Amino acid sequence: MITDKRIDGGKGFDWGKTSGDYAKYRDIYPPEFYRRILDAGLCIKGQQVLDLGTGTGVLPRYLYPYGAEFTGMDISENQIKTAEKLSEEAGMDIRFLSGPAEQLDFPDGSFDVVTACQCYFYFKHEQLAPVLARVLKPSGRFVILYMAWLPEEDPIAGASEELVLKYNPSWTGKGETRHYIAVPETYGKYFTVESNEIYDLQIPFTRESWDGRIRACRGIGASLSEKEVEAFTKEHRRLLETIAPEEFTILHYAGMAVLRKKD
């Protein structure tokens, strides 16, 4: 269980509680999301890549065919177990480890690239920045990736978000708007911001997959009791039957910040 006063008012959450839904419903990044990573010369053949906050290993598993050698790391042991199972079933040779990002125990200069997808705001950056600089090779890059729905512009997303807040009023994941990834100042001691971009995406869903995606968010599956999650799911499914067709898209925006290690 993780508690952080900066997040959800200090309400505890555990991603391991939602590993099943996470694996099934959160692998939603579209081809353009990955193409922008590859086009930047990241996570390609010949590179050693560390994926922090890997969850169920979505990023390494998708990019595996492009030839990089991946290590995935997550603080949740349940998430890592699921990641190992999924990669083994797919015949992928990916190393997965469990532990806090701030306590990376790798030799100096181990990686060409470190990625952090959907997780950078959980880190203790003052501790993490020098550790990343140590484990990256000269001119290695730290890549921060993010994607979120836009509740003020997409009515289905907005209605679902209102229901999340009904069940978990302290959830601070609400009200997302477009913004460039905010790179904490502490990284400036070790890195130069090479690029920072945002762009819109329309992500396809069915009622079932959107319900699963919402259930697998921190505000529901990772935070609430099993009974509360069950009640939310029933009410959310009823809501979707009234406001959403069987198939639809949800407006998201994505961001990618690339930080290059200083020589």
Side-chain angles (χ1 to χ4, degrees):
M1 183 70 70
I2 300 170
T3 56
D4 188 327
K5 292 180 180 179
R6 302 171 301 168
I7 300 168
D8 302 344
K11 183 180 178 68
F13 59 95
D14 177 4
W15 288 114
K17 291 172 58 180
T18 189
S19 290
D21 279 339
Y22 201 104
K24 187 174 181 180
Y25 296 114
R26 291 201 59 163
D27 188 356
I28 60 172
Y29 304 109
E32 181 180 355
F33 183 87
Y34 296 107
R35 180 184 58 77
R36 287 175 181 257
I37 298 170
L38 297 166
D39 286 351
L42 304 166
C43 304
I44 57 177
K45 188 174 182 179
Q47 293 180 344
Q48 295 284 338
V49 181
L50 172 64
D51 184 42
L52 297 179
T54 196
T56 58
V58 173
L59 196 76
R61 286 189 286 109
Y62 189 94
L63 292 173
Y64 184 83
Y66 297 92
E69 294 185 33
F70 279 96
T71 298
M73 190 168 182
D74 198 279
I75 198 169
S76 169
E77 292 184 3
N78 282 348
Q79 293 281 72
I80 289 298
K81 289 177 182 177
T82 302
E84 289 175 335
K85 179 176 181 292
L86 292 171
S87 63
E88 288 171 5
E89 289 174 350
M92 297 178 176
D93 183 16
I94 300 173
R95 176 173 59 163
F96 289 104
L97 303 169
S98 179
E102 296 83 0
Q103 297 176 20
L104 298 178
D105 187 19
F106 298 103
D108 294 1
S110 293
F111 300 100
D112 299 281
V113 178
V114 176
T115 55
C117 185
Q118 223 61 16
C119 58
Y120 79 102
F121 36 77
Y122 297 124
F123 299 143
K124 297 173 182 175
H125 298 288
E126 290 285 346
Q127 297 177 34
L128 181 62
V131 173
L132 290 181
R134 181 183 64 78
V135 303
L136 277 167
K137 297 177 183 179
S139 297
R141 286 179 284 183
F142 176 39
V143 187
I144 305 170
L145 299 152
Y146 187 62
M147 188 175 81
W149 63 76
L150 293 165
E152 295 182 5
E153 299 181 49
D154 190 292
I156 296 175
S160 294
E161 190 166 286
E162 286 181 10
L163 189 60
V164 173
L165 290 167
K166 173 183 174 180
Y167 282 80
N168 188 351
S170 63
W171 178 57
T172 53
K174 63 185 177 180
E176 187 68 67
T177 58
R178 290 178 195 81
H179 58 84
Y180 290 96
I181 289 172
V183 179
E185 290 185 8
T186 188
Y187 288 97
K189 303 174 187 177
Y190 311 95
F191 295 89
T192 299
V193 178
E194 187 174 85
S195 63
N196 198 343
E197 63 175 334
I198 56 174
Y199 55 96
D200 284 2
L201 295 165
Q202 288 284 356
I203 309 299
F205 290 95
T206 64
R207 288 175 187 163
E208 177 191 353
S209 64
W210 177 244
D211 175 60
R213 169 64 186 92
I214 294 294
R215 191 169 59 247
C217 80
R218 188 184 70 241
I220 299 299
S223 302
L224 303 185
S225 69
E226 185 175 338
K227 186 176 181 180
E228 289 171 325
V229 172
E230 183 179 352
F232 170 85
T233 300
K234 289 181 179 178
E235 188 168 352
H236 191 227
R237 288 176 177 172
R238 289 196 301 267
L239 173 66
L240 293 179
E241 287 175 359
T242 63
I243 67 169
E246 180 55 36
E247 297 182 359
F248 51 92
T249 61
I250 296 289
L251 177 62
H252 287 63
Y253 86 99
M256 182 172 78
V258 180
L259 283 60
R260 183 182 290 274
K261 179 181 172 179
K262 292 181 176 179
D263 295 333

